Amino acid sequence: MADPSDKLRTVICLGDIHGYLTKLLNLWSNLQSQIDPDSFNTATIIFLGDYCDRGPDTRKVIDFLISLPKRYPNQKHVFLSGNHEFAFAGFIGVLEGEFEAKETWKEYADNEEIEGWYKGEGYEKMHLQGRIWGSWFDVAQGIDCKGSIFDAAPTFGSYGVSHGSSVVNTLR
């Protein structure tokens, strides 16, 4: 007789949510309705990163993801970090160690003024990706962008602060 613990587990991979809670909830509802309940409730759900930026509801997306283990205790949840989370983490100062610009970053030094890298409180020791994440492009210079190459303004807004605000550093 087969061991019941040998049952194949359903694996679901989701990525690039980018602050769109409604789309995430619709996808979750579709998965829940299309997958056998036993399989869904015991599935391994792998989130591939890029939870923040672009969409208006980053904070709510993150709150939803945090709630999943409690709401679905028999599921296994894996949360990977994408480049957007890495830059967000760099901005709020939760990356280990202090950033020191290496030779490989020097080629980007000319972009600092053009792209308006963050120069607020604590920027001297901030990881370069964090400074870029919190940047504000000068649209008058002809750069077609929604605020930063990460489009982080909606993430700041979801936490009730203006884009590039050092207040976000207090969120950790």
Side-chain angles (χ1 to χ4, degrees):
M1 179 170 209
D3 182 350
S5 64
D6 288 343
K7 179 184 174 208
L8 292 177
R9 185 172 212 150
T10 299
V11 176
I12 302 168
C13 298
L14 305 172
D16 295 295
I17 297 165
H18 284 296
Y20 289 104
L21 179 66
T22 301
K23 291 179 180 183
L24 174 59
L25 295 178
N26 288 341
L27 177 58
W28 191 263
S29 177
N30 288 338
L31 290 168
Q32 197 166 19
S33 68
Q34 296 299 312
I35 298 172
D36 169 69
D38 288 337
S39 295
F40 181 78
N41 289 326
T42 59
T44 295
I45 316 287
I46 303 171
F47 292 93
L48 303 172
D50 289 356
Y51 314 114
C52 64
D53 302 335
R54 299 184 185 153
D57 296 316
T58 290
R59 185 177 191 161
K60 290 177 182 176
V61 164
I62 293 172
D63 288 345
F64 174 78
L65 296 175
I66 290 170
S67 77
L68 290 177
K70 188 171 187 176
R71 293 173 56 209
Y72 298 90
N74 295 322
Q75 287 180 343
K76 181 177 180 183
H77 303 96
V78 178
F79 301 98
L80 303 176
S81 178
N83 63 318
H84 290 257
E85 288 75 43
F86 181 81
F88 188 177
F91 186 82
I92 62 173
V94 295
L95 296 178
E96 267 190 52
E98 292 182 10
F99 176 73
E100 179 184 329
K102 305 286 185 205
E103 287 302 314
T104 55
W105 289 103
K106 301 248 189 268
E107 67 182 278
Y108 300 102
D110 292 339
N111 297 355
E112 183 172 6
E113 292 306 316
I114 294 169
E115 295 176 359
W117 294 355
Y118 178 78
K119 281 191 174 180
E121 184 181 338
Y123 87 92
E124 300 89 349
K125 294 182 179 180
M126 185 181 289
H127 191 284
L128 182 59
Q129 287 296 319
R131 291 189 61 210
I132 293 170
W133 186 82
S135 69
W136 191 262
F137 280 81
D138 184 351
V139 178
Q141 292 184 25
I143 297 171
D144 184 21
C145 191
K146 295 181 180 178
S148 80
I149 60 172
F150 290 103
D151 194 7
T155 298
F156 281 91
S158 77
Y159 285 95
V161 298
S162 62
H163 186 204
S165 171
S166 61
V167 172
V168 174
N169 287 318
T170 66
L171 296 176
R172 56 186 155 128

